[in-house]
Amino acid sequence: MRLYNYHTHTQYCDGHNTVAEMAKAAVDQGFEVIGFTPHSPIIIPSPCNMKAEDVPAYLDDVRRANEMYAPECRFLAGMEIDYLDKDFNASSQYFVDLDLDFAISSVHFIPAQGGEYIDIDGKYERFARNMREHFHDDLRYVVNTYFSQSMDMLHQGGFTILGHFDKIALNGAAHDPDLEQHGWYIDLVQDYIREIEKSGVTIEINTKAKETFGRFFPNELYWPQLVEARVPIVVNSDAHYADRLNASRGAALQRLAELGYAVS
Ligand SMILES: [Zn+2]
Ligand SMILES: [Zn+2]
């Protein structure tokens, strides 16, 4: 099987290696396709997102990687684009004009009750603080809003791969270990999965947190129904380090094969 990874961060955002270092590591590890996906430029303050002024240098770096390693490995210039609202998302003219090779779209920021966009990704300590300081400690509001934003993102389109579609479960379940057993949570996820199935969009199985938190995104619980519904799936490591490009991808691919998914 062709070794690929369509979710790869570098120093242009919060990754720890340069494009050149990631490219060399990819070739050394036998990858044939790597999609680079820096966190997109964004209109709210965020140290984790790339700066708009760095985009030309980023695109140049990916072009150079292709020149260096063709035809062994192909490097795609993509982004992991944040969904904020109807005016800022993967279908916005700004991103269309960048003419990227592909895009992942993800929800990392959601509007708090007061309207301010707050990061729900990242370390739990910060999430817990944001719960107190911005979300009135209302986990149901946070989870509801995460999925309504996700639903809007799906309808808005403009991207190739839907990023880690239940990522909120990581911090959400750290806050309430029973989160994924609540009927209202199950309804939100099932509504979203039905919409994903209808849309025909490609989803990722994101393996980034498997080693550290024992969890894939989406949760393995939902894989049988995703496979049954023939949802197109790619398996991505969401690597922020060169030595993690292939982390836990094998385990996910094996599990998918066991479920009868025709992994290509
Ligand atoms: Zn992400
Ligand atoms: Zn990512």
Side-chain angles (χ1 to χ4, degrees):
M1 200 198 80
R2 218 167 61 144
L3 200 51
Y4 68 83
N5 185 52
Y6 296 112
H7 194 155
T8 313
H9 295 278
T10 68
Q11 288 176 355
Y12 280 109
C13 54
D14 57 350
H16 294 261
N17 294 97
T18 62
V19 167
E21 288 165 353
M22 283 305 227
K24 177 168 190 318
V27 171
D28 289 348
Q29 292 172 48
F31 277 90
E32 291 178 73
V33 188
I34 290 288
F36 283 108
T37 51
H39 290 291
S40 65
I42 195 166
I43 49 171
I44 56 175
S46 167
C48 292
N49 287 64
M50 87 181 292
K51 296 188 184 69
E53 70 237 40
D54 286 342
V55 172
Y58 160 63
L59 297 175
D60 260 11
D61 280 3
V62 178
R63 186 181 44 74
R64 262 195 298 276
N66 276 310
E67 282 167 9
M68 184 113 96
Y69 296 111
E72 244 180 299
C73 186
R74 181 155 179 251
F75 299 94
L76 306 175
M79 281 185 186
E80 182 176 14
I81 301 175
D82 277 285
Y83 181 86
L84 293 186
D85 60 22
K86 296 242 175 336
D87 297 320
F88 186 94
N89 59 66
S91 71
S92 300
Q93 197 58 44
Y94 170 75
F95 293 113
V96 174
D97 289 345
L98 290 180
D99 197 22
L100 299 167
D101 293 325
F102 79 110
I104 295 180
S105 191
S106 302
V107 173
H108 305 107
F109 302 89
I110 62 166
Q113 290 93 328
E116 189 189 354
Y117 276 80
I118 304 296
D119 189 354
I120 49 82
D121 215 55
K123 292 208 164 49
Y124 175 69
E125 291 68 32
R126 194 178 52 175
F127 180 81
R129 196 171 64 237
N130 285 337
M131 283 299 292
R132 286 192 306 274
E133 292 178 1
H134 295 284
F135 293 119
H136 308 305
D137 229 351
D138 186 346
L139 185 61
R140 190 156 172 180
Y141 168 86
V142 169
V143 174
N144 264 321
T145 307
Y146 175 87
F147 280 108
S148 71
Q149 291 287 104
S150 298
M151 199 70 104
D152 290 347
M153 170 174 83
L154 183 59
H155 293 149
Q156 206 73 37
F159 57 90
T160 326
I161 299 169
L162 184 65
H164 47 62
F165 80 64
D166 66 349
K167 189 77 188 281
I168 189 63
L170 180 62
N171 280 327
H175 209 70
D176 171 7
D178 296 329
L179 175 67
E180 287 159 293
Q181 277 85 57
H182 295 316
W184 61 265
Y185 181 89
I186 293 168
D187 288 347
L188 284 172
V189 172
Q190 290 304 327
D191 283 353
Y192 195 34
I193 290 177
R194 264 192 300 277
E195 213 58 22
I196 287 169
E197 290 173 8
K198 263 200 281 176
S199 74
V201 75
T202 298
I203 64 160
E204 69 168 1
I205 299 235
N206 183 303
T207 65
K208 182 186 175 201
K210 181 59 177 168
E211 242 170 69
T212 39
F213 295 101
R215 156 194 297 277
F216 293 113
F217 308 105
N219 193 316
E220 247 177 290
L221 281 175
Y222 315 125
W223 295 13
Q225 70 185 105
L226 294 166
V227 169
E228 169 88 7
R230 296 171 192 268
V231 172
I233 298 170
V234 291
V235 175
N236 288 333
S237 66
D238 197 353
H240 289 62
Y241 295 88
D243 62 0
R244 300 190 56 78
L245 271 170
N246 204 22
S248 301
R249 287 188 67 266
L253 287 163
Q254 191 187 330
R255 180 73 191 119
L256 282 174
E258 286 164 11
L259 289 170
Y261 188 80
V263 176
S264 59

